[in-house]
Amino acid sequence: RRQRQMCIRDRFIESERQAEIKKQVHKALRQLNPRQQAMVQMVFFEDKSQDEVAEYFGINKQAVSNAMQRIYAALKKILEKN
């Protein structure tokens, strides 16, 4: 029985930890500029390819790749502060 209680407690703690991480990521995303937010939305939540994102913004695929690298760096910096 003690093992089961630990398992339930551990799952609860993990669930709470994941909820906190999700909250921090959403907060970090709100700190991006609107264009960056739109790119993240398209790539991660709408599963768009870099070609599709490039076409939408009227830029080339390399520009999308460069922008995404800057976005990753910005998010990492924001999240490391927290």
Side-chain angles (χ1 to χ4, degrees), residues 10-39:
D10 290 345
R11 282 189 281 167
F12 175 76
I13 290 169
E14 181 62 19
S15 175
E16 289 295 307
R17 190 177 75 77
Q18 287 178 358
E20 181 59 30
I21 290 169
K22 186 176 181 179
K23 182 179 165 185
Q24 289 177 1
V25 168
H26 281 282
K27 183 178 177 182
L29 289 172
R30 287 192 303 271
Q31 294 181 47
L32 299 174
N33 69 46
R35 182 180 174 111
Q36 291 171 323
Q37 289 179 20
M39 284 187 173

Side-chain angles (χ1 to χ4, degrees), residues 12 18-19 21 30-31 34 36 42 45-51 53-55 57 62 78 81:
F12 175 76
Q18 287 178 358
I21 290 169
R30 287 192 303 271
Q31 294 181 47
Q36 291 171 323
M42 293 176 78
F45 300 105
E46 297 173 13
D47 201 29
K48 302 288 186 189
S49 69
Q50 286 191 351
D51 288 326
V53 175
E55 183 177 337
F57 285 104
Q62 185 60 48
I78 293 166
K81 287 181 183 178

